[in-house]
Amino acid sequence: MRFRTLGMFFCALTAVTPILADEPAMPMPIPVEDSLLHAWAAKPVETSRLLSDMESLDAWDHLGAGALEISDQQAWTGKASLKMTCKTFTDQPSRNGRPPGACTALFKVQDENWEAFNRLSFRVYPDLPGFRAISMSVVLRNEGAFRVPDEYGRLGRHFFMLKNQQWNHVIWEIPHLSRDKVTGVEIIYRMQGHEPGATDTVCYYIDTLELQKVAVDHYEGWNTAPGQIAYSHTGYAPDGTKIAITSDETPSEFTVTNLSSGAVQHLPVARKQTPIGAFSIMDFSAIKTPGTYRVKAGALETKPFPIAPTVWDGTIWKTINCFYCLRCGMEIPGIHGLCHEDWLGEHDGRRITYNGGWHDAGDLSQGLRNTSEATYALFLLAEQIERRDTGLADRLMEEGRWGLDWILKNRFGDGTRVTWGTMDFWTDNLIGTTDDMMAERAQNDPYHNLHAAAAEALGARLMKETRPYLAARSLKTAQEDWQFAVEQTRPPSLQIAGIGVTASVELYRATQETKYAEKAVEWAEMITACQQKTKTDWDIPLRGFFYQSPQKRRIQHYSHVGEIQAPIAGLVMLCEAMPDHPQRPHWVECVQQYVEYLTTIAEYTAPYNMFPASIYSIDESKDDRFLEQVENGIRLSETHYLRRFPVWFDFRGNYGVLLSQARALSAAARLLGDRSLADLAERQLQWVVGLNPFGQSTMYGEGFAFAPQYTTTSGDIVGGLPVGVQTSRNDDAPFWPGDNCYNYKEIWVHPSSRWLAILADLEALRSDQ
């Protein structure tokens, strides 16, 4: 392959400067005017009630670290404000990588009913010299019919970003929270350290806390937001299916206007009753001419969107930007400086510095699986897209090498790697001070070594000509990591077999050594043995799904992390690498049956066709919450139910699962050469960027009405994807409230990796056709 030779640390001390005319500078600017935060600020307030003017400490209590006082140094209104000061760290080390304390201003409420209001509003002026990303949180407390925060401490907790040394308006829509017996409001600073050169004492001025009533956003259910059309904000491919949806009754006809030519097409609206409700469906798939368009049905209309063959390229650049902004161990302008040089990993008396790679979530933590998957996906898409856009391919390779560098250094040479480290604060970069952290997991684990080997082997193959030294090192390490994994004794499982096939095929492609092909075939047999091959004897019979092991005792499913793509993507790779193998028909049949399963269950969320999460058996757990969630799903039999969303507890958000299923289907589409399967995979991407009940793009900075994400340490990042849409308590319907909290609204590289891998498959399919 031809990739430009660009130094690994080309941008180690500065922003990424465009090398090609169409390559955006990074960090990319946020189109604030298209954000949901901008829309919230513009809403008319119907009525309000002042809770506190902050002219005195009446009704306020101080909890935890730091101090509260009334100050006349800053005021939004009146003569004074509530001043909060606190050290950024303690003189004791953090025990778990989380902030060691917090400073809380508690506004006390005497069991009041606030149901007449649906928004909290207040002002904050932070004075934190040297800080680049500044955050706080607010908590509503209710002791009525439903306790707030909920049992997991998430629902009823809202994080927000602030601009330094200016007044910020904080607004939080709360219609989804019980407000029948309110006992307090907390405004909180968490001790998240500080970078070298920044202040070690934070200072916030808080003013004018009030209740408000506004027209709130749609936040729950399958119906679209009233008065809105749900559509793909990113746009549509010319040859793909193109639909827009509304729950509102519309005229029998809608129009599609080409905004460039002015041409207008009149098309029929289809009113359909589906398993999740009644919808007006506007299908304009017949329009294939590239251009910018707008859909209108009666008084409802979309914003402009493109139809273009490269419609997803903008999201690729934004996803690269997300990874770049999440880099650890180097300066990212406006986000952080050189960081976490005092973050260590230890094994058998030896230590390594753990920084590098990417902060893989809204906190600053780092994990081997996520980094390996991200590196692999960046390389995978680079290989496909290089055929038509060498500049984009080069930039994907550059970002992939950043991840590869961390993978190669994060090992002790005996199979042991640091597989996870929790980090939720900035440090002073000095080894031997109280903010030092030791990553908590160092293990010789086949699952993680296989993930590393897959990324290393693919990188080695792609860089063989342009970077022979790095390619040779990467290949040698991949072979070692693969061998460490194979030597580990572990009960056979679908999870190991899936990544095992991928790593083995990548090494076979890179070396042509038969031992890798033989092991891939062995693991492929494990995958096919885990599949339900005949239709079940349920009221609604299904086949094609997978169990955790060949014993088929428990169906394989995931909650917020998803890896169901691994067995299918692995089999597709094996079919491509060994087209004449006698077992190939069995591998193809396995892929086809999983495709049948996905296309069947997708009908239960029509017209969105978002993939339901999994099948659950009522005997998997005795937890009452588990049973309630399962029985809120679609009944398949007396003992089995299909959940549209995963069964979950504190860790919620479905993009890891949804995009893993989409990746499995896009890989299958590539193998089978089936454009209709690619369309259905793209439908999952379209859900993410606007074709959802809330009419919001959930990729930050893409499309319109993108909500704030939980990125408290790095700030808002264009291209970020959250963990995903959740459900309310034990229900099985979309729930996307105004709260900004971990985990469901937390930025995470896991769904971003799946996004890139899906686009790699779509690119390959398009090139082949």
Side-chain angles (χ1 to χ4, degrees):
M1 289 191 71
R2 190 217 68 78
F3 294 110
R4 72 170 179 249
T5 303
L6 185 65
M8 176 65 190
F9 299 103
F10 167 79
C11 34
L13 296 176
T14 186
V16 171
T17 302
I19 293 177
L20 303 175
D22 56 353
E23 181 176 342
M26 299 180 185
M28 295 172 71
I30 298 166
V32 176
E33 66 282 0
D34 295 329
S35 71
L36 197 58
L37 197 61
H38 182 78
W40 287 342
K43 286 186 178 183
V45 176
E46 298 174 16
T47 184
S48 64
R49 172 190 159 193
L50 182 66
L51 295 174
S52 175
D53 59 10
M54 275 72 164
E55 298 291 320
S56 76
L57 285 175
D58 293 347
W60 288 94
D61 273 351
H62 167 242
L63 305 175
L68 292 182
E69 61 180 303
I70 298 299
S71 170
D72 61 3
Q73 293 175 275
Q74 295 286 346
W76 172 253
T77 59
K79 298 179 179 180
S81 62
L82 183 67
K83 181 180 181 181
M84 173 188 290
T85 55
C86 186
K87 289 290 187 181
T88 61
F89 213 75
T90 67
D91 57 2
Q92 298 296 320
S94 170
R95 291 178 296 175
N96 57 5
R98 297 301 182 189
C103 180
T104 299
L106 168 63
F107 179 72
K108 296 175 292 183
V109 181
Q110 298 299 316
D111 298 338
E112 292 185 9
N113 187 308
W114 286 1
E115 292 174 333
F117 302 92
N118 53 30
R119 189 165 90 168
L120 277 171
S121 168
F122 56 96
R123 309 281 174 162
V124 181
Y125 184 106
D127 188 6
L128 282 68
F131 269 67
R132 307 181 220 204
I134 300 172
S135 68
M136 297 183 81
S137 63
V138 55
V139 172
L140 179 71
R141 295 210 170 272
N142 187 77
E143 299 293 339
F146 290 98
R147 188 171 183 174
V148 180
D150 66 357
E151 61 186 304
Y152 308 116
R154 266 80 161 166
L155 194 64
R157 187 181 304 273
H158 175 65
F159 289 84
F160 51 90
M161 302 304 300
L162 299 167
K163 294 181 180 179
N164 205 2
Q165 297 175 332
Q166 61 181 276
W167 282 104
N168 297 258
H169 188 193
V170 180
I171 44 183
W172 177 27
E173 294 191 1
I174 55 173
H176 58 289
L177 299 177
S178 295
R179 309 181 300 286
D180 56 333
K181 193 176 179 181
V182 176
T183 60
V185 175
E186 298 178 6
I187 301 174
I188 304 168
Y189 161 71
R190 296 187 302 169
M191 304 172 77
Q192 292 188 281
H194 65 277
E195 295 186 75
T199 183
D200 67 352
T201 303
V202 299
C203 175
Y204 296 92
Y205 300 92
I206 307 166
D207 207 351
T208 318
L209 176 64
E210 66 179 19
L211 286 168
Q212 298 176 340
K213 182 180 179 182
V214 297
V216 295
D217 295 337
H218 178 48
Y219 61 86
E220 185 174 17
W222 291 102
N223 60 297
T224 61
Q228 291 188 24
I229 297 174
Y231 66 104
S232 172
H233 297 187
T234 299
Y236 304 84
D239 294 330
T241 301
K242 308 172 192 70
I243 66 166
I245 300 166
T246 183
S247 297
D248 293 8
E249 293 277 1
T250 66
S252 60
E253 191 176 77
F254 74 101
T255 61
V256 184
T257 302
N258 185 320
L259 298 180
S260 301
S261 67
V264 179
Q265 296 198 40
H266 297 259
L267 298 168
V269 174
R271 187 71 182 175
K272 292 185 179 180
Q273 181 69 42
T274 79
I276 57 173
F279 296 88
S280 297
I281 302 170
M282 292 155 272
D283 190 328
F284 51 104
S285 302
I287 299 176
K288 301 180 184 298
T289 303
T292 302
Y293 292 83
R294 187 195 302 271
V295 166
K296 185 173 182 180
L300 310 182
E301 66 178 9
T302 68
K303 291 184 182 294
F305 59 84
I307 293 176
T310 57
V311 70
W312 298 108
D313 280 13
T315 70
I316 298 174
W317 282 113
K318 289 173 181 175
T319 302
I320 294 171
N321 179 77
C322 176
F323 279 108
Y324 170 72
C325 292
L326 290 173
R327 285 188 184 186
C328 175
M330 65 170 278
E331 180 184 3
I332 305 298
I335 296 178
H336 64 75
L338 179 64
C339 63
H340 295 122
E341 293 185 295
D342 47 359
W343 193 6
L344 306 174
E346 185 173 36
H347 164 64
D348 196 25
R350 293 172 291 164
R351 290 184 173 185
I352 58 173
T353 53
Y354 191 60
N355 70 334
W358 302 285
H359 300 136
D360 79 3
D363 56 17
L364 302 167
S365 299
Q366 174 78 278
L368 178 62
R369 180 202 61 210
N370 286 346
T371 300
S372 297
E373 287 185 337
T375 302
Y376 185 84
L378 287 158
F379 286 155
L380 194 69
L381 182 53
E383 181 178 25
Q384 294 302 326
I385 218 160
E386 195 264 348
R387 305 174 194 180
R388 67 170 176 85
D389 191 333
T390 57
L392 180 51
D394 288 342
R395 186 62 187 86
L396 287 161
M397 286 297 297
E398 178 189 339
E399 201 62 37
R401 285 195 299 273
W402 181 264
L404 179 63
D405 177 71
W406 184 85
I407 296 169
L408 292 173
K409 87 180 184 74
N410 180 38
R411 61 197 302 270
F412 290 95
D414 60 355
T416 301
R417 291 175 171 272
V418 181
T419 57
W420 179 257
T422 302
M423 178 61 74
D424 206 359
F425 50 83
W426 299 110
T427 67
D428 59 14
N429 288 340
L430 300 175
I431 297 174
T433 58
T434 57
D435 63 2
D436 292 356
M437 277 303 301
M438 190 67 67
E440 56 261 45
R441 296 182 205 162
Q443 54 188 335
N444 185 348
D445 175 69
Y447 170 77
H448 286 91
N449 277 324
L450 287 170
H451 271 289
E456 291 159 346
L458 176 56
R461 180 166 60 82
L462 298 185
M463 295 184 294
K464 186 176 181 179
E465 295 180 4
T466 58
R467 292 170 176 270
Y469 172 79
L470 180 57
R473 180 190 174 197
S474 190
L475 180 58
K476 179 176 181 294
T477 307
Q479 292 174 302
E480 293 173 354
D481 289 339
W482 182 89
Q483 191 63 41
F484 288 133
V486 169
E487 291 171 355
Q488 290 290 303
T489 56
R490 185 168 180 165
S493 70
L494 179 70
Q495 191 172 51
I496 290 292
I499 185 58
V501 171
T502 298
S504 300
V505 173
E506 290 295 358
L507 277 163
Y508 175 63
R509 285 173 168 171
T511 67
Q512 293 300 302
E513 293 184 22
T514 57
K515 68 176 182 179
Y516 299 119
E518 291 169 355
K519 192 64 180 179
V521 171
E522 178 186 329
W523 269 320
E525 184 178 350
M526 171 72 63
I527 291 172
T528 59
C530 291
Q531 189 176 46
Q532 176 68 37
K533 294 189 175 299
T534 59
K535 289 194 173 182
T536 59
D537 59 357
W538 303 336
D539 298 337
I540 300 176
L542 292 171
R543 68 175 181 178
F545 56 88
F546 288 99
Y547 294 86
Q548 292 179 351
S549 70
Q551 289 72 39
K552 298 182 178 178
R553 297 190 183 98
R554 179 168 293 188
I555 295 169
Q556 179 70 63
H557 34 241
Y558 300 90
S559 54
H560 75 302
V561 175
E563 296 192 68
I564 200 61
Q565 87 294 338
I568 296 300
L571 290 180
V572 168
M573 291 175 60
L574 193 55
C575 288
E576 292 171 340
M578 306 177 69
D580 299 322
H581 196 280
Q583 290 299 311
R584 188 180 189 276
H586 298 291
W587 305 334
V588 173
E589 181 185 33
C590 183
V591 172
Q592 290 172 325
Q593 289 201 354
Y594 187 71
V595 166
E596 176 190 313
Y597 166 70
L598 281 183
T599 54
T600 300
I601 64 174
E603 291 303 313
Y604 288 97
T605 62
Y608 302 104
N609 295 108
M610 180 203 82
F611 293 138
S614 189
I615 300 165
Y616 293 84
S617 171
I618 60 174
D619 62 5
E620 291 181 35
S621 172
K622 297 185 182 300
D623 191 309
D624 290 341
R625 298 168 300 174
F626 175 89
L627 185 60
E628 183 179 352
Q629 288 190 48
V630 170
E631 291 182 340
N632 279 334
I634 301 157
R635 187 184 185 277
L636 303 175
S637 73
E638 187 176 339
T639 56
H640 288 82
Y641 291 76
L642 175 67
R643 283 274 303 181
R644 294 179 171 99
F645 286 84
V647 171
W648 42 27
F649 301 102
D650 50 351
F651 285 83
R652 298 184 175 221
N654 76 326
Y655 285 178
V657 176
L658 178 67
L659 295 180
S660 293
Q661 294 168 304
R663 170 78 220 284
L665 190 65
S666 64
R670 191 181 81 218
L671 173 68
L672 303 174
D674 190 332
R675 177 65 220 185
S676 68
L677 300 182
D679 278 352
L680 187 53
E682 278 189 278
R683 185 71 65 84
Q684 315 312 306
L685 304 185
Q686 292 168 357
W687 166 281
V688 172
V689 294
L691 190 56
N692 57 56
F694 315 108
Q696 297 179 24
S697 171
T698 57
M699 175 180 280
Y700 196 81
E702 173 71 6
F704 306 98
F706 45 88
Q709 295 178 350
Y710 178 84
T711 53
T712 57
T713 46
S714 300
D716 297 319
I717 296 173
V718 169
L721 284 177
V723 176
V725 176
Q726 64 161 330
T727 59
S728 178
R729 297 183 173 87
N730 296 325
D731 294 342
D732 193 25
F735 183 55
W736 191 248
D739 297 2
N740 181 21
C741 190
Y742 47 79
N743 296 87
Y744 74 107
K745 281 193 178 173
E746 184 171 2
I747 194 172
W748 198 23
V749 302
H750 181 67
S752 296
S753 301
R754 297 288 182 268
W755 188 274
L756 295 180
I758 293 164
L759 295 182
D761 290 330
L762 298 180
E763 187 71 27
L765 181 62
R766 185 175 69 172
S767 299
D768 291 343
Q769 294 180 341

